């Protein structure tokens, strides 16, 4: 009987240890951080409206199976527009990810407050610049 009680206590301890380890692994694997996405392509879209509305179609990279598109930030100052494209990736380097490169296609609205005939530059993640002349 004593051996059965000891075996049960030992088994319970192992189950408790496994549960705690699993919770730790799960919290490590679900913790994410944002990083700038690689930019694979960008085009200016002109919407048929009056005044014309402009948008930036962006193809950004997802460098691994763990990378996910997160968000776009757009800020304008004069003739220059800054667009930041963010991915989220696991915080821990211990997370195993497939090395499959994927892409995400998104559109950033740039608005319609542009002076006709004036050229504007759109800078994307500091690695690509696209310019357009307002209609």
């Amino acid at each position: 009987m004593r051996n059965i009680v000891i075996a049960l206590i030992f088994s319970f301890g192992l189950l408790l240890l496994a549960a705690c380890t699993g919770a730790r692994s799960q919290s490590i694997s679900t913790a994410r951080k944002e990083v700038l996405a690689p930019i694979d392509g960008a085009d200016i879209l002109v919407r048929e409206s009056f005044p014309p509305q402009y948008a930036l179609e962006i193809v950004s990279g997802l460098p691994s199976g763990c990378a996910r598109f997160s968000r776009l930030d757009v800020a304008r100052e004069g003739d220059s527009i800054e667009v930041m494209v963010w991915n989220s990736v696991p915080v821990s380097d211990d997370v195993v990810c497939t090395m499959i490169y994927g892409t995400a296609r998104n559109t950033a609205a740039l608005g319609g407050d542009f002076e006709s005939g004036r050229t504007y530059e759109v800078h994307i993640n500091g690695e690509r610049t696209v310019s357009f002349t307002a209609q």
Side-chain angles (χ1 to χ4, degrees):
M1 181 72 172
R2 181 173 181 239
N3 289 342
I4 293 174
V5 171
I6 291 173
L8 286 173
I9 292 172
F10 182 72
S11 298
F12 180 74
L14 286 177
L15 286 173
L16 186 61
L17 180 64
C20 291
T21 304
R24 183 177 171 274
S25 297
Q26 184 177 6
S27 67
I28 288 174
S29 65
T30 59
R32 300 183 73 80
K33 64 181 176 182
E34 288 190 325
V35 296
L36 289 174
I39 304 303
D40 295 339
D43 289 312
I44 298 293
L45 303 175
V46 182
R47 310 268 190 215
E48 293 184 25
S49 62
F50 186 80
Q53 298 287 312
Y54 297 88
L56 179 69
E57 186 176 60
I58 304 164
V59 178
S60 59
L62 301 168
S64 74
C66 291
R68 297 183 197 139
F69 169 77
S70 180
R71 65 187 167 94
L72 295 169
D73 293 327
V74 180
R76 178 177 168 190
E77 189 172 317
D79 296 348
S80 181
I81 302 165
E82 291 286 330
V83 177
M84 304 300 280
V85 183
W86 299 91
N87 285 341
S88 73
V89 296
V91 170
S92 174
D93 291 334
D94 294 335
V95 176
V96 178
C97 301
T98 59
M99 295 308 296
I100 298 171
Y101 191 89
T103 58
R105 185 175 299 270
N106 292 282
T107 303
L110 303 178
D113 186 26
F114 296 97
E115 185 180 323
S116 181
R118 194 170 194 163
T119 300
Y120 297 87
E121 288 190 342
V122 182
H123 306 281
I124 310 142
N125 283 11
E127 66 178 73
R128 187 173 294 235
T129 300
V130 179
S131 55
F132 68 97
T133 303
Q135 298 177 359

